[in-house]
Amino acid sequence: MGNMKVAALSVSAIVLVAIVATVAVTISNLDSEPAKTQFSSSQKNIKDFCNPTDYQETCESTLSAAAGNSTDPKELVNLAFQITIDQIKEAFNHSTVLSEAAKNPRTSDALENCRELLDYAIDDLRSSIDQLEGFSLIKLDKFLDDLKVWISASITYQETCLDGFENTTTNAAESMRKALNSSAEMTSNILAIVINLDNTLDSLNLGISRKLLAEEYPSWVSLGKRRLLQLSPAELKPNVTVAQDGTGDVKTINDALLRVPKKSNHTFVIYIKEGVYKEKVQVNRSLTNVIMVGDGTNKTKITGSLNYIDGTATFKTATVAVIGDGFIGKDLWIENSAGAAKHQAVALRVQSDKSVFYNVRIDGYQDTLYVHTKRQFYRDCNISGTIDFIFGDGAAVLQNCLILARKPMDNQQNIVTAQGRKDRRQATAIVLHNCTISADPAFFPFREKLPTFLGRPWKEFSRTFVLQSQLDDLIDPKGWLPWFENFGLNTCFYTELDNRGPGANTSQRVKWKGVKTIGYAHAQKFTVEHFIQGNTWLPKSGVPYIPGLLPMTEAGRIH
């Protein structure tokens, strides 16, 4: 190994304590000159550690102040994460002080939501630290994918906190922005260093094969449970059955959630019998590996009507919010019935990493599906709405889904997606693969008068892929819509590949710098297999999925 490559590893060591040692030992064993693996004082220099980041001054000044004369990578890694967590805690405490002084109800709600969101941000950074121990080099590649997702989520939570102050009339928004400025920069820096380490390992070419990285099934996943989604409710043998008519164990979904063990590695199956459940449902962060199965998309309905116009912040309008990791939903109908005139009204908000929604109907108008953070997979789902009705900053793949534009208000237009990527390195995007975008029957006669666009850039680095999908004639020839003036038009990443139907003609698409033309090799990076690492976790659920792009024949696409 050359000194340059070892130095690159040294730069990235700030993020990984145990892994740095593993990499160093492995390289030492591979190299005939072990002396080259020693970290020199210059390699340990904080300036070198901070070199890959966008906010080098923040990185250098905060680490230098805390580290003193120490250049020990293990100490620096702990400091980098701990400083970021401490700064988020300060912002958390700042929100409490502001909340006590706030008189405006919307401002008070925004501050309350900030405390919840910042708690999520801290938790994801802590999870990153906790998971550093015990990873061998052979699994390092997979672990870095996880780390990028978690740190990306931490960035999003801080941004969502600030989003909550839109249209408030106090100085709280600016005050919170200042309080979060340093932590936002440090979180961005950590992500930059992780990605630099990932790139360094690729350049070292140590012979690690991604094919070796598939997760082994945990001991609790029997052969039968690997096909959970292929079983009927009776065959599933649910842990708890919900039935309004009293024929189950409980009458409400929330009562069922009270029975779920916390932080469990075992699946917990909730069977929700046919009925209309008027509940606000939240699967909390501590409720992991929950499966909710209904009687079908026209039979088991969970409905609510919370909305922005009537005073609820967008983040809290969700009829169903899923936060606990490993969630699976099947054969359900989730609705926000507030209507077009009530503006933001979320039906489903998802923060659950490695979550699956299979044959789920999700209905609303503006902001129907909030793919908030982390890895999410939607298969054979029906999603309806008007403005930005699939939005958020998760790593979300929607496959074989029917996406229906509904009739908006007469002064509105439909936008299918509004992706919220704030940092250019975040491992997030909305990917529509082999979907159909069409007009709801009630909207069909108005589709030429009220245009429908594929997306608009909610945040500066908004990223959306429309791949191998059917685009009906409701899609405006321009394809994409600005958010506000020129915001994000040069920095977004919007692309279409191998689509079909009358709306798929790209000859009149907008000519922004951010609207890209890509090939199959690039698009493959944003498929289920590569973008959300689906081959490592989807098989055990039993959900059908297409790992990569579909093949083509002269007669058309093979399904």
Side-chain angles (χ1 to χ4, degrees):
M1 299 291 173
N3 284 327
M4 186 177 298
K5 289 181 177 178
V6 177
L9 274 177
S10 175
V11 170
S12 299
I14 187 171
V15 184
L16 304 168
V17 181
I19 294 177
V20 165
T22 305
V23 173
V25 170
T26 304
I27 296 173
S28 178
N29 291 337
L30 293 172
D31 201 302
S32 60
E33 299 178 68
K36 291 184 179 180
T37 67
Q38 302 300 313
F39 294 111
S40 70
S41 59
S42 62
Q43 291 167 338
K44 293 176 183 177
N45 190 283
I46 288 174
K47 182 179 285 292
D48 289 336
F49 280 115
C50 296
N51 187 57
T53 68
D54 287 344
Y55 305 100
Q56 293 186 28
E57 184 177 346
T58 298
C59 181
E60 292 172 22
S61 61
T62 53
L63 283 176
S64 295
N69 295 323
S70 174
T71 53
D72 180 1
K74 294 183 179 181
E75 184 174 343
L76 289 172
V77 62
N78 284 323
L79 285 172
F81 273 103
Q82 195 56 53
I83 290 168
T84 306
I85 290 171
D86 288 346
Q87 287 171 343
I88 296 175
K89 283 182 178 178
E90 287 183 20
F92 182 101
N93 295 332
H94 186 63
S95 70
T96 302
V97 173
L98 288 174
S99 183
E100 292 170 353
K103 297 179 181 179
N104 182 289
R106 283 203 185 274
T107 303
S108 295
D109 288 345
L111 290 163
E112 183 63 31
N113 292 339
C114 269
R115 287 198 289 278
E116 180 180 341
L117 288 156
L118 296 179
D119 194 35
Y120 294 145
I122 290 169
D123 191 62
D124 280 333
L125 291 174
R126 281 180 174 155
S127 294
S128 301
I129 299 172
D130 292 343
Q131 295 299 321
L132 290 174
E133 301 276 343
F135 280 88
S136 65
L137 187 61
I138 202 72
K139 291 187 177 180
L140 179 57
D141 205 358
K142 167 196 167 295
F143 173 66
L144 288 171
D145 286 330
D146 289 345
L147 203 62
K148 285 181 279 189
V149 167
W150 300 334
I151 299 171
S152 295
S154 184
I155 291 171
T156 302
Y157 292 137
Q158 294 175 66
E159 183 68 10
T160 306
C161 161
L162 298 175
D163 287 340
F165 293 97
E166 286 184 4
N167 303 320
T168 59
T169 57
T170 69
N171 294 324
E174 185 58 31
S175 184
M176 277 303 299
R177 188 169 291 280
K178 288 180 180 178
L180 279 169
N181 185 61
S182 184
S183 66
E185 291 184 355
M186 281 298 292
T187 314
S188 174
N189 287 346
I190 291 172
L191 180 59
I193 295 166
V194 168
I195 290 173
N196 187 63
L197 176 58
D198 198 13
N199 294 337
T200 298
L201 286 176
D202 285 344
S203 71
L204 286 172
N205 191 23
L206 296 177
I208 302 172
S209 172
R210 287 185 180 270
K211 293 181 180 179
L212 300 175
L213 301 177
E215 267 181 17
E216 294 182 3
Y217 291 113
S219 59
W220 55 266
V221 182
S222 66
L223 182 61
K225 282 197 171 183
R226 295 181 195 177
R227 295 293 176 262
L228 283 168
L229 296 191
Q230 298 175 4
L231 304 177
S232 69
E235 291 171 321
L236 272 172
K237 297 181 180 179
N239 298 89
V240 61
T241 297
V242 185
Q244 290 177 328
D245 60 8
T247 59
D249 302 304
V250 294
K251 292 185 176 181
T252 70
I253 300 166
N254 281 300
D255 282 341
L257 288 171
L258 293 174
R259 300 192 178 194
V260 180
K262 294 183 177 180
K263 295 291 184 182
S264 174
N265 287 327
H266 297 272
T267 54
F268 189 95
V269 180
I270 300 174
Y271 168 38
I272 309 170
K273 285 190 173 183
E274 180 176 355
V276 178
Y277 297 85
K278 296 180 179 179
E279 300 185 55
K280 181 178 172 62
V281 175
Q282 178 161 306
V283 181
N284 288 329
R285 180 173 48 185
S286 61
L287 306 183
T288 52
N289 299 306
V290 172
I291 299 178
M292 283 189 184
V293 180
D295 277 328
T297 57
N298 290 315
K299 293 182 177 180
T300 299
K301 183 177 183 180
I302 310 169
T303 185
S305 59
L306 291 175
N307 62 85
Y308 182 81
I309 291 297
D310 289 342
T312 303
T314 303
F315 174 67
K316 286 296 186 180
T317 60
T319 302
V320 176
V322 180
I323 304 164
D325 290 344
F327 179 88
I328 297 174
K330 179 193 176 191
D331 298 338
L332 300 168
W333 182 1
I334 301 170
E335 175 194 65
N336 191 311
S337 63
K342 295 297 185 177
H343 293 196
Q344 297 96 321
V346 176
L348 173 64
R349 186 185 88 237
V350 182
Q351 300 163 224
S352 169
D353 197 18
K354 300 182 180 179
S355 53
V356 176
F357 296 84
Y358 180 35
N359 193 38
V360 176
R361 177 176 170 182
I362 309 163
D363 284 341
Y365 285 85
Q366 183 171 347
D367 291 1
T368 303
L369 172 58
Y370 194 174
V371 292
H372 193 190
T373 57
K374 302 181 182 174
R375 286 164 286 198
Q376 312 174 20
F377 181 61
Y378 299 79
R379 171 76 183 208
D380 299 341
C381 293
N382 287 11
I383 303 144
S384 72
T386 55
I387 298 171
D388 307 334
F389 64 95
I390 302 172
F391 79 111
D393 193 27
V397 178
L398 288 72
Q399 192 175 86
N400 290 28
C401 292
L402 176 60
I403 299 168
L404 294 175
R406 303 178 80 171
K407 185 179 182 298
M409 297 173 69
D410 289 342
N411 63 342
Q412 294 178 333
Q413 50 199 347
N414 289 333
I415 307 102
V416 177
T417 68
Q419 206 279 332
R421 189 163 164 256
K422 172 72 174 359
D423 189 290
R424 64 189 175 92
R425 294 185 178 89
Q426 281 179 285
T428 59
I430 293 172
V431 181
L432 309 181
H433 182 214
N434 202 38
C435 292
T436 296
I437 303 177
S438 193
D440 179 80
F443 175 54
F444 188 81
F446 303 93
R447 70 194 187 287
E448 295 180 1
K449 178 184 176 184
L450 302 173
T452 297
F453 296 87
L454 294 172
R456 60 176 180 163
W458 179 27
K459 300 294 180 182
E460 188 175 3
F461 295 97
S462 179
R463 185 163 63 173
T464 300
F465 294 74
V466 184
L467 307 175
Q468 300 185 316
S469 293
Q470 168 73 29
L471 308 184
D472 286 350
D473 65 359
L474 73 162
I475 301 299
D476 188 279
K478 296 184 184 69
W480 308 90
L481 185 71
W483 183 270
F484 176 73
E485 294 181 347
N486 293 323
F487 175 78
L489 304 190
N490 292 329
T491 50
C492 67
F493 195 109
Y494 289 161
T495 193
E496 304 168 60
L497 177 72
D498 192 22
N499 295 310
R500 58 197 182 274
N505 187 334
T506 59
S507 62
Q508 297 182 53
R509 292 296 194 251
V510 291
K511 305 300 182 184
W512 310 339
K513 184 178 178 182
V515 174
K516 309 289 188 182
T517 299
I518 64 171
Y520 268 61
H522 190 161
Q524 285 283 11
K525 297 177 182 179
F526 291 87
T527 56
V528 169
E529 177 181 5
H530 298 291
F531 183 51
I532 57 173
Q533 300 83 50
N535 287 353
T536 68
W537 55 278
L538 283 174
K540 67 181 177 226
S541 74
V543 64
Y545 72 96
I546 307 162
L549 295 175
L550 289 160
M552 294 289 294
T553 68
E554 290 183 6
R557 188 161 295 108
I558 299 173
H559 291 262

